[in-house]
Amino acid sequence: MASSSDRTAAAYPLLLLLLLSSSPLPCSASAADSGRLFPAGVQYEYESTTTVLAGGSSDNRDPAIGHRVVGRLLVANIWPATDTAGDKLLMLHFKSPKLQTWSKKSKNDVNRQFIDRKSRIDRFSDQPFFAHWRNGHIENLYVSSTNSLTEENFKKGIAGLFQFQLSNQHAVEYSTLGECNVTYSKINQNIVSKLVDGCVLPTTLPPEIKHPDKIWQGTLRSKREGLVKYNHESLVDVSLDEYHEFSTSFMNEVGASVSSKQHIELKETKPNDDVIKANTFKEAIHQLEKQLKLKLEKQNLSLKHEVKNCKHYNSCNKLDEVVYNYHDSLLDSELGKSKSAYGAIKVVDAIVNSDTKTIKKVLTDEKNEDIIVQLYDLLGAALNENSHKASMETLDFTNAKSVEKIERYLWSASINFNPKIEIIKSLLAITDENLASKKIADTLFNTVTAMASRLARYNHTDTNILLSGELVVKTLEKLEKCKLDDDECILTYIRALSNLKHPLSIEVLLSFAQHGNRKTSAYAMKTIKMFGPGLWDSRVLKYCNRIFFQLVKEQDSSTRTIALAILLESNPDYDLLKHVVEWLAAPGEEYEIKQYALELLKEMANQNETSARLLRTVLVRERLNHYGSMAQRGLSSCFSRKFINYNNITGLVKNSQQIYSGVTKRGSVDIVLEHDSVKYDLCSFGMFTTGLGYFTSLYDDSGKKDTSDEANLPATAGLELIVFGVHIRPFIMFSSQGQLMGHVWAGTGSDKTPIIQGISQMIEHLEYVPLSNGITAELNVKGMLSLDISGQIEMSLWNKNAQSVIEKNGGVSIQGSLKLDTDLVTDEVDFSLITEGLLHMHSDAEFATKIVLCMRIVFVDTNVTTIVSKSEKVHGLPHKSHTTTTRTHPVSGRTFALNQMVNEFCNTIHSR
């Protein structure tokens, strides 16, 4: 057996090996290798090429535009450091720079050639700049004054090529790209690859604007990689390539891309006698300034942002000129069309760059009287300090004649995803004033609550959360002061709670749902459903169970069906599904609510495979899969259909029609987009009626007399709209039998009549992409929605029939640009998407002896047009190139079937 001393002696080599393996050998080796590079007394001459190309997205194959800068780069270490820290003082001198662009004579992209252009690059100062280099990192630059930020940033891009490591390792580097994670991998003895990712933007860039919902942001894909080749004393060849591509979430081919390639190649080596003798780096810089008679400014590699906007070029389009140019696009007749949305973007851009005085001048111009309400739409879309001030100084909240203009401004502002807290407080102060009408009061309070809710959700600061919480308390206090029989007051503040979406309001809403009258209970239940599954806790589900099964008291049928919808969307268990299906088979319930409940079960099974399997299990085990439960006879329906399935986006149209006495008691058509398993509510159009009991005897052939309150309610009909999750006040068409008959005899609905119109901003995106070459790409995208919902109805008491159509027309325009703007040249790619969504609801009814009702939901044929324009301008010269590509994609329309009974009615009517 070995002694203790023998074992200790034997352990020494192992201990030494462990110590060596845990020490940073790769870094030391890298430092040693890089330390041998660029010895003092030698000058290296490189051929330098920096190329920038801009074009459409990868799905757009049209030739790119671009330019490149070529020249000779002289590099020398002019300070032989006496310490061992690895410090070097590199002199970098860019000589004979030339700007080159594509030759117009080139016929195709493969054989295109760059040719020299006269440009402002000739004004670049012929002065060297200096880099403090330490073990592969650029600590700082020392630069004399330059003629432009373009030149200064270009030099930083050149210096960034001399940041490298020569061994396998991960590093964090600071460069023109910001703070980035860099991975170095040795390919062979003298070649190292460089992969850059995870960059944090420099703080020198302006703030970005990004919609918090990813579907409205689009996608930016980036790739940065390089290659370093070296020999025993210098870099032989260095390249750094990067590619960035932006595309909208809706179509891959709508977007833009930019690529940059920096490349230096060693051409010649010469002796260099310009060597500074100094003991410290600081002393070396001091001597250098004396020698060159220059003042050198110490800088890091962060880019200095070049503000290149219309104010910089003194080329801002005046608001009155823009409004004049797009006046016809904003007319009432163009609402709901892409032309309206396209012109709106141009006007909003001009509003953002205008002061309050200019905006007020346009608003008060008599030539704009026919588009004045559309202009207030666009002021709400712009929603900055100047536009809001102009609106408040021109709108009179105490004048009943201003209702339309006020509401249009408020509706547009309520949808804006990036409201300012100062504007919210300004509007909040008006809510306590004497207003011209209840409509304004309703819309104003709902706008304030919607804006505060968005601000708190999207900009999660303590101040914003506090404001939202204060508004919840204020809304609940106002709701408590409403008289029990004042439905209008109660519903105003329930809608406000639906906009706030705050858990503090759940208890009050549940109380109204269970104990309120038919109108308030349905609204409260609908509001809870709008909150979404995130707020449906066990207490909510317990209340929904009581309400649907009427365990406490008889409930309104609308309230019950909404409660059931919540239960079925909350991963229902075996017992719940069993009780629902048993209830379907039980006698005594009105058959339309049973039909609607069955439709909800079918929709649940279509959307959730787990719940579908559980439902099948219940039907088999409990022997409930029979005619009595699964074959109801009503007209009520609830379904969803896909109308888009492209690019990871699913578009759904959801239809809900709860029928009572042959007419729609409560119905809605919702447009929902799904992206990466997240749902976005685009628009919900609902209708409600009461007291149309004239049709009861015609439709209900059961022989039973209706004794419920439904039959004795006054004749009313109204419409309600939810846009981007914001609840708009309802529109009442008639509220008594007299008003209804007045419309019938006067034929006031025979002509197409607008229900709601407006223009809103749905996309605003501003992003900066710094390139390694020193240029910053600016990505700017805006999208507008022009909405026109109108209706038409014809009724003949003589022929006992009626026809109606409700048209939901939406014009969409998305416009974006990728701009590379410098003092030398501007390259720009503009891209746009223009389309229209036309959803029409047709109803044909006959009621001579028995009601026959045919309903159809139709998506009308449309087109999606994409446009990509590329332009290049060399500043100081007439040279300019411009190309435009337009493509049109037809989208076929479709008609959605409701159910078998409605199909049979449609066949009966149309066969005549």
Side-chain angles (χ1 to χ4, degrees):
M1 182 179 291
S3 66
S4 175
S5 60
D6 292 336
R7 289 195 299 269
T8 303
Y12 282 146
L14 179 60
L15 180 61
L16 181 60
L17 180 61
L18 288 172
L19 288 172
L20 289 175
S21 63
S22 61
S23 64
L25 273 179
C27 292
S28 300
S30 172
D33 291 342
S34 59
R36 291 195 296 268
L37 300 180
F38 302 114
V42 182
Q43 176 178 281
Y44 303 91
E45 182 175 330
Y46 294 87
E47 182 181 89
S48 172
T49 305
T50 299
T51 306
V52 184
L53 298 177
S57 62
S58 59
D59 288 350
N60 187 304
R61 302 299 181 185
D62 294 334
I65 58 168
H67 67 275
R68 69 182 186 185
V69 175
V70 299
R72 293 180 299 113
L73 178 65
L74 308 182
V75 181
N77 177 15
I78 60 174
W79 177 56
T82 56
D83 57 23
T84 58
D87 292 87
K88 297 179 187 293
L89 178 58
L90 298 183
M91 179 198 72
L92 306 171
H93 196 174
F94 196 75
K95 304 283 289 184
S96 306
K98 290 291 182 183
L99 176 70
Q100 298 180 338
T101 66
W102 291 123
S103 169
K104 289 185 177 180
K105 297 180 181 180
S106 302
K107 298 298 182 183
N108 56 66
D109 198 32
V110 177
N111 299 318
R112 297 177 90 181
Q113 299 293 323
F114 280 103
I115 60 173
D116 292 345
R117 302 284 186 186
K118 290 184 179 180
S119 69
R120 294 176 180 172
I121 202 169
D122 300 329
R123 303 179 189 176
F124 275 19
S125 60
D126 188 21
Q127 294 289 347
F129 57 104
F130 305 90
H132 180 188
W133 187 93
R134 175 183 293 170
N135 293 332
H137 293 279
I138 301 294
E139 300 293 321
N140 288 293
L141 288 185
Y142 293 84
V143 185
S144 61
S145 60
T146 59
N147 295 322
S148 70
L149 289 179
T150 298
E151 178 184 349
E152 193 171 307
N153 288 333
F154 176 77
K155 290 179 175 178
K156 291 181 178 181
I158 290 292
L161 293 173
F162 293 87
Q163 286 208 123
F164 57 87
Q165 299 298 318
L166 302 180
S167 64
N168 297 326
Q169 62 176 281
H170 299 283
V172 176
E173 291 184 354
Y174 299 85
S175 65
T176 57
L177 304 174
E179 180 183 345
C180 303
N181 298 321
V182 186
T183 302
Y184 291 95
S185 303
K186 291 205 71 167
I187 298 176
N188 59 35
Q189 190 64 30
N190 297 102
I191 302 178
V192 178
S193 70
K194 180 177 182 178
L195 181 65
V196 183
D197 61 7
C199 293
V200 179
L201 292 182
T203 56
T204 52
L205 292 177
E208 296 184 329
I209 300 173
K210 290 185 179 180
H211 199 291
D213 295 332
K214 288 186 177 181
I215 193 172
W216 308 120
Q217 290 181 6
T219 304
L220 179 67
R221 293 171 288 273
S222 299
K223 184 178 182 180
R224 300 180 176 102
E225 55 187 7
L227 209 60
V228 179
K229 300 178 183 179
Y230 62 99
N231 57 26
H232 64 284
E233 65 173 20
S234 67
L235 298 179
V236 175
D237 189 289
V238 180
S239 63
L240 183 58
D241 297 353
E242 56 183 317
Y243 178 78
H244 307 274
E245 179 189 3
F246 175 86
S247 60
T248 63
S249 297
F250 303 98
M251 295 188 75
N252 285 333
E253 56 265 45
V254 182
S257 62
V258 58
S259 64
S260 166
K261 181 169 184 176
Q262 292 176 277
H263 182 227
I264 59 172
E265 184 179 1
L266 182 63
K267 293 297 183 182
E268 191 177 358
T269 303
K270 296 180 180 179
N272 178 46
D273 297 330
D274 296 331
V275 176
I276 294 176
K277 295 182 180 179
N279 293 325
T280 64
F281 184 84
K282 186 176 181 181
E283 184 181 336
I285 292 294
H286 183 65
Q287 289 191 27
L288 187 60
E289 289 180 319
K290 281 187 175 182
Q291 179 180 318
L292 297 176
K293 297 181 181 179
L294 291 174
K295 177 62 178 175
L296 298 177
E297 180 185 353
K298 180 181 178 181
Q299 298 184 9
N300 57 30
L301 291 182
S302 293
L303 296 177
K304 290 187 177 179
H305 181 62
E306 301 182 68
V307 180
K308 302 290 185 180
N309 53 29
C310 61
K311 293 179 181 178
H312 172 82
Y313 292 120
N314 196 26
S315 63
C316 288
N317 293 319
K318 294 181 180 178
L319 179 59
D320 55 351
E321 294 178 357
V322 176
V323 171
Y324 176 80
N325 292 333
Y326 292 96
H327 175 277
D328 291 349
S329 299
L330 300 180
L331 291 171
D332 289 347
S333 58
E334 299 300 328
L335 288 172
K337 301 178 183 178
S338 57
K339 180 180 179 181
S340 173
Y342 182 87
I345 292 179
K346 304 297 184 183
V347 178
V348 167
D349 280 340
I351 290 174
V352 170
N353 289 308
S354 300
D355 57 26
T356 302
K357 183 179 179 181
T358 302
I359 298 172
K360 288 177 63 177
K361 180 182 176 182
V362 170
L363 292 174
T364 54
D365 192 334
E366 291 183 357
K367 293 182 295 186
N368 299 324
E369 189 173 348
D370 55 347
I371 60 169
I372 188 66
V373 288
Q374 279 77 268
L375 289 178
Y376 279 106
D377 285 337
L378 304 186
L379 291 177
L383 204 65
N384 61 13
E385 182 181 353
N386 290 332
S387 66
H388 180 67
K389 187 176 180 182
S391 301
M392 293 300 98
E393 292 179 1
T394 54
L395 292 173
D396 185 358
F397 284 75
T398 62
N399 185 354
K401 295 182 180 179
S402 301
V403 170
E404 185 180 11
K405 292 185 288 186
I406 293 170
E407 288 200 305
R408 290 282 283 267
Y409 175 71
L410 293 174
W411 287 333
S412 182
S414 68
I415 295 170
N416 191 295
F417 83 91
N418 190 27
K420 310 295 186 294
I421 192 169
E422 296 79 11
I423 294 177
I424 297 175
K425 290 181 176 179
S426 160
L427 293 173
L428 183 59
I430 305 175
T431 60
D432 295 323
E433 298 179 4
N434 291 324
L435 304 176
S437 72
K438 290 183 178 180
K439 290 181 179 179
I440 294 179
D442 190 335
T443 300
L444 178 60
F445 199 80
N446 274 277
T447 296
V448 170
T449 52
M451 294 170 72
S453 176
R454 285 175 180 270
L455 188 65
R457 292 202 313 271
Y458 294 158
N459 189 2
H460 210 65
T461 65
D462 291 342
T463 303
N464 297 340
I465 295 172
L466 179 63
L467 175 62
S468 178
E470 290 174 350
L471 272 171
V472 173
V473 174
K474 183 172 183 176
T475 305
L476 291 174
E477 289 174 349
K478 286 181 174 290
L479 182 58
E480 189 176 0
K481 293 178 182 178
C482 292
K483 296 179 181 179
L484 292 178
D485 59 348
D486 190 351
D487 290 350
E488 189 174 348
C489 176
I490 292 172
L491 296 182
T492 294
Y493 298 113
I494 288 181
R495 283 192 293 273
L497 292 175
S498 75
N499 288 332
L500 286 165
K501 295 179 175 64
H502 200 285
L504 279 177
S505 60
I506 290 286
E507 191 69 45
V508 172
L509 291 171
L510 287 173
S511 177
F512 272 105
Q514 181 161 301
H515 303 293
N517 61 34
R518 61 177 306 281
K519 188 180 291 186
T520 57
S521 65
Y523 257 90
M525 201 75 253
K526 181 179 178 181
T527 297
I528 294 172
K529 190 173 188 303
M530 286 179 61
F531 283 7
L535 293 179
W536 297 344
D537 56 15
S538 58
R539 176 186 51 170
V540 171
L541 299 181
K542 184 178 180 180
Y543 267 83
C544 288
N545 191 74
R546 290 176 182 172
I547 289 170
F548 175 69
F549 291 106
Q550 302 188 110
L551 301 180
V552 176
K553 68 165 193 172
E554 287 192 8
Q555 298 284 349
D556 173 69
S557 59
S558 296
T559 308
R560 294 177 68 191
T561 54
I562 299 171
L564 179 60
I566 292 175
L567 291 171
L568 296 182
E569 291 179 25
S570 303
N571 297 319
D573 58 18
Y574 185 96
D575 286 340
L576 175 65
L577 294 179
K578 172 188 172 183
H579 292 150
V580 171
V581 179
E582 287 176 341
W583 170 84
L584 286 175
E589 288 280 3
E590 202 272 321
Y591 60 86
E592 284 292 0
I593 190 173
K594 285 187 174 183
Q595 174 66 40
Y596 192 83
L598 179 61
E599 295 283 316
L600 287 175
L601 282 172
K602 292 178 180 178
E603 180 65 11
M604 175 203 70
N606 288 334
Q607 300 298 323
N608 189 322
E609 180 58 34
T610 302
S611 296
R613 285 196 300 268
L614 187 60
L615 176 61
R616 288 194 293 269
T617 303
V618 169
L619 293 174
V620 173
R621 286 184 182 177
E622 305 297 332
R623 298 182 179 181
L624 290 169
N625 191 21
H626 52 72
Y627 183 86
S629 60
M630 304 306 290
Q632 304 299 324
R633 56 175 286 241
L635 284 173
S636 298
S637 64
C638 177
F639 64 82
S640 62
R641 301 286 188 269
K642 291 182 180 179
F643 66 93
I644 293 176
N645 192 7
Y646 175 80
N647 200 22
N648 202 26
I649 289 181
T650 301
L652 298 174
V653 55
K654 293 187 174 183
N655 174 70
S656 170
Q657 301 292 331
Q658 185 183 349
I659 305 297
Y660 173 79
S661 300
V663 294
T664 299
K665 176 186 177 183
R666 181 171 293 275
S668 68
V669 177
D670 305 341
I671 306 298
V672 179
L673 298 179
E674 293 185 0
H675 180 253
D676 290 339
S677 301
V678 180
K679 292 185 178 181
Y680 301 92
D681 296 317
L682 196 62
C683 179
S684 175
F685 177 78
M687 62 187 75
F688 55 88
T689 66
T690 62
L692 300 182
Y694 166 76
F695 300 102
T696 303
S697 59
L698 298 176
Y699 180 67
D700 189 356
D701 57 2
S702 64
K704 295 180 180 179
K705 184 70 176 177
D706 187 353
T707 58
S708 69
D709 292 339
E710 300 267 5
N712 302 316
L713 292 170
T716 61
L719 304 168
E720 51 192 5
L721 186 68
I722 301 172
V723 182
F724 294 109
V726 177
H727 210 138
I728 308 297
R729 70 164 180 82
F731 298 84
I732 305 300
M733 293 185 288
F734 54 84
S735 57
S736 68
Q737 189 78 22
Q739 289 183 9
L740 169 60
M741 296 311 297
H743 286 302
V744 171
W745 292 117
T748 49
S750 299
D751 297 326
K752 184 178 175 182
T753 305
I755 299 170
I756 184 171
Q757 297 174 317
I759 308 175
S760 306
Q761 182 167 271
M762 59 181 186
I763 298 175
E764 184 180 13
H765 188 91
L766 178 62
E767 186 171 2
Y768 297 95
V769 183
L771 306 179
S772 57
N773 59 29
I775 299 175
T776 299
E778 180 184 291
L779 179 63
N780 197 339
V781 187
K782 281 188 172 65
M784 302 294 291
L785 169 67
S786 177
L787 187 66
D788 175 34
I789 299 178
S790 56
Q792 181 178 355
I793 183 169
E794 295 181 355
M795 180 180 291
S796 172
L797 295 181
W798 181 263
N799 295 315
K800 297 190 181 324
N801 61 23
Q803 300 83 36
S804 68
V805 60
I806 295 177
E807 298 182 358
K808 297 172 65 175
N809 298 330
V812 175
S813 178
I814 300 174
Q815 298 176 45
S817 67
L818 180 70
K819 184 180 289 188
L820 307 168
D821 206 349
T822 69
D823 288 342
L824 296 179
V825 61
T826 296
D827 294 313
E828 183 170 1
V829 179
D830 296 310
F831 52 92
S832 61
L833 179 149
I834 300 170
T835 190
E836 294 173 356
L838 312 176
L839 178 64
H840 297 172
M841 299 167 57
H842 297 267
S843 295
D844 296 285
E846 295 183 358
F847 45 90
T849 57
K850 182 179 179 180
I851 279 192
V852 179
L853 177 65
C854 170
M855 295 182 65
R856 290 168 294 150
I857 299 177
V858 180
F859 263 111
V860 182
D861 290 347
T862 188
N863 291 315
V864 177
T865 301
T866 61
I867 305 171
V868 177
S869 299
K870 297 181 283 290
S871 62
E872 182 176 64
K873 168 67 177 173
V874 177
H875 297 299
L877 287 177
H879 171 75
K880 187 175 182 179
S881 63
H882 184 88
T883 61
T884 300
T885 303
T886 302
R887 292 182 172 88
T888 300
H889 309 260
V891 179
S892 300
R894 62 190 68 184
T895 300
F896 299 108
L898 272 70
N899 56 35
Q900 185 61 37
M901 182 177 289
V902 172
N903 288 348
E904 293 173 0
F905 284 165
C906 289
N907 293 335
T908 300
I909 290 178
H910 293 157
S911 65
R912 300 169 186 168

